[in-house]
Amino acid sequence: MTVWLALLLGGIATYLTRVTPLVVRVPGAAPPALRRYLDALPIAIIAALAGAGVALPDAQPTHGAEVLAGALAFGVASWRRDLLLAMIVGVIAVALLRAGGL
């Protein structure tokens, strides 16, 4: 019974935290600087997770192919502003670097 109660309370808490911003609006509640910070936060979290996944997959340091390919993909994304092209370049680069023994 305790497990079911914990699941029910966890579900209610999750639902309330997700639905509250959709139901309750307070105009002018957040200063513009805080709003910009909160808008950029998901991008920063994704970048941190992706960086850790590239540098330490399976919690083991790579031999360099992934890091070099990630840096190349980042450069292409910054230069061309095309994420699909950056992803394709990164995948090809890591495949070639691994095939070359790096």
Side-chain angles (χ1 to χ4, degrees):
M1 183 64 182
T2 307
V3 172
W4 290 109
L5 182 62
L7 286 173
L8 178 67
L9 292 175
I12 290 171
T14 300
Y15 177 77
L16 288 176
T17 57
R18 291 177 188 264
V19 78
T20 301
L22 300 174
V23 177
V24 178
R25 293 283 180 184
V26 180
L34 176 62
R35 193 77 212 140
R36 283 192 310 271
Y37 171 78
L38 292 175
D39 286 342
L41 194 58
I43 297 168
I45 292 171
I46 290 171
L49 292 173
V54 167
L56 297 169
D58 300 326
Q60 297 296 321
T62 65
H63 299 294
E66 291 84 1
V67 176
L68 290 174
L72 181 62
F74 180 78
V76 169
S78 297
W79 172 51
R80 299 290 299 182
R81 304 281 186 218
D82 186 352
L83 295 179
L84 179 61
L85 179 63
M87 183 182 69
I88 292 169
V89 167
V91 168
I92 292 172
V94 80
L96 292 174
L97 288 168
R98 284 182 180 174
L102 187 64

